[in-house]
Amino acid sequence: MVESAGETSGSSGGSYWYDGGDSAVDLLSALRGFRAADHELRRRMSAGMEMNTTDLSALRYVIAHELGEDPATPQALARNLGISGASTSKLLDRLTESGHLERVPHPRDGRSRIAVATDHAHTQVRERLGGMHERMLEIAHLVPPSARPAAIEFLRAMARHLETEAPPEELTAREV
């Protein structure tokens, strides 16, 4: 298991933030381990596709939005990635140059353009992530059906919390 600095797993210790012996602390530790493993996986996958993690996130966003009524505009991509319009333009240039994306006219607004994934990108994503997603579904099926609603609500609540958590207004000055 991947553990963050100051984290311990199991109920033998605790962690930097919490006292030990509480299964809720173990749950948070497991979540942190998952997040660290997910981060490392994204780093490995992007390196294997010869792109950075932001580029891979952009590609995943574009592919996910191809199936819906919400095409991947440069503005929506910038908002999703939390980057500037200029950075988004450079990112789209890189992914177009590498053969992963194409810029095409917006289906409902001919004045603007959207990003769509190429067949090459879809093939690479399926080759690299298809088996992993199948195994993830197998693991999800191991969770008893009666426990799934609680697990789903926990993960969704944690995501909502992380999405809305703001940094402190001011950091405490270092004493000299």
Side-chain angles (χ1 to χ4, degrees):
M1 174 175 169
V2 178
E3 296 185 34
S4 302
E7 293 295 320
T8 60
S9 59
S11 58
S12 60
S15 73
Y16 179 80
W17 298 107
Y18 309 106
D19 291 330
D22 182 347
S23 63
V25 173
D26 292 342
L27 184 59
L28 290 176
S29 181
L31 180 62
R32 283 188 182 93
F34 168 79
R35 290 180 67 208
D38 182 61
H39 176 78
E40 179 58 22
L41 170 76
R42 290 174 194 280
R43 189 199 60 72
R44 287 191 319 269
M45 289 298 157
S46 63
M49 293 176 73
E50 299 179 351
M51 61 179 64
N52 65 46
T53 56
T54 303
D55 291 356
L56 181 59
S57 293
L59 185 57
R60 291 177 63 232
Y61 179 87
V62 168
I63 289 172
H65 281 76
E66 287 179 353
L67 303 175
E69 295 292 319
D70 186 24
T73 64
Q75 297 83 5
L77 189 55
R79 264 191 318 277
N80 178 266
L81 297 173
I83 61 176
S84 70
S87 293
T88 302
S89 218
K90 290 178 184 177
L91 177 147
L92 290 171
D93 289 345
R94 279 193 309 275
L95 291 176
T96 299
E97 178 68 27
S98 68
H100 290 95
L101 293 181
E102 294 177 343
R103 293 174 175 145
V104 301
H106 192 291
R108 294 180 301 281
D109 178 4
R111 297 167 299 176
S112 65
R113 301 184 69 70
I114 62 169
V116 295
T118 63
D119 290 341
H120 168 68
H122 283 283
T123 299
Q124 275 198 326
V125 167
R126 272 194 304 277
E127 286 175 357
R128 296 191 184 284
L129 302 178
M132 179 196 66
H133 281 280
E134 286 176 21
R135 181 66 184 128
M136 288 171 66
L137 184 58
E138 291 170 6
I139 293 168
H141 279 124
L142 295 175
V143 175
S146 62
R148 291 177 193 165
I152 291 165
E153 181 49 34
F154 166 74
L155 292 170
R156 287 182 176 159
M158 195 60 68
R160 285 189 303 271
H161 172 67
L162 295 178
E163 289 169 351
T164 59
E165 183 65 22
E169 296 279 329
E170 291 182 26
L171 294 176
T172 305
R174 183 176 152 221
E175 292 183 26
V176 196

